[in-house]
Amino acid sequence: MEILILKTAEKELEKIANPLNKQFGKHIEKLASAETNKHLKRGIPYFTENVTKQARIIYYIEEETIYIMHCFATHKEYERWYKSFK
């Protein structure tokens, strides 16, 4: 599968500290080979990948392409985004 990182995710990755940024890179590579994906609840059409206990990658899949939408370094950032769907 092809992986595309959207501009919003690129900006978020630039702000993340280097050791954590490397972990994001490893998990982004892992997405291409992942057989199972964790879908978000409440009818939200996106998937999530846990990088650490707090860090998350939000993405969606169209045909043979994975689009990385967001890379959240903290759970607080993720919760703020997730609550916007209520």
Side-chain angles (χ1 to χ4, degrees):
M1 289 190 125
E2 182 182 2
I3 297 177
L4 293 175
I5 301 175
L6 303 179
K7 289 183 181 182
T8 54
E10 283 181 7
K11 290 178 184 177
E12 292 164 347
L13 280 172
E14 289 173 1
K15 295 178 185 177
I16 296 172
N18 196 18
L20 185 57
N21 199 333
K22 288 180 183 179
Q23 287 183 332
F24 272 97
K26 290 177 185 177
H27 280 268
I28 289 172
E29 290 175 10
K30 177 183 157 189
L31 291 177
S33 64
E35 296 177 9
T36 60
N37 300 305
K38 183 180 177 192
H39 204 280
L40 292 173
K41 297 178 182 175
R42 296 188 183 141
I44 301 172
Y46 305 117
F47 298 93
T48 183
E49 171 73 20
N50 295 348
V51 177
T52 64
K53 285 186 176 182
Q54 293 196 6
R56 305 254 190 311
I57 297 173
I58 306 299
Y59 63 98
Y60 64 96
I61 302 171
E62 282 186 1
E63 297 175 13
E64 291 295 315
T65 306
I66 298 173
Y67 296 92
I68 307 293
M69 292 181 50
H70 293 285
C71 296
F72 297 116
T74 66
H75 188 67
K76 190 173 187 177
E77 294 171 348
Y78 167 72
E79 281 294 317
R80 191 177 310 128
W81 172 81
Y82 186 71
K83 287 181 181 180
S84 71
F85 289 98
K86 284 187 175 182

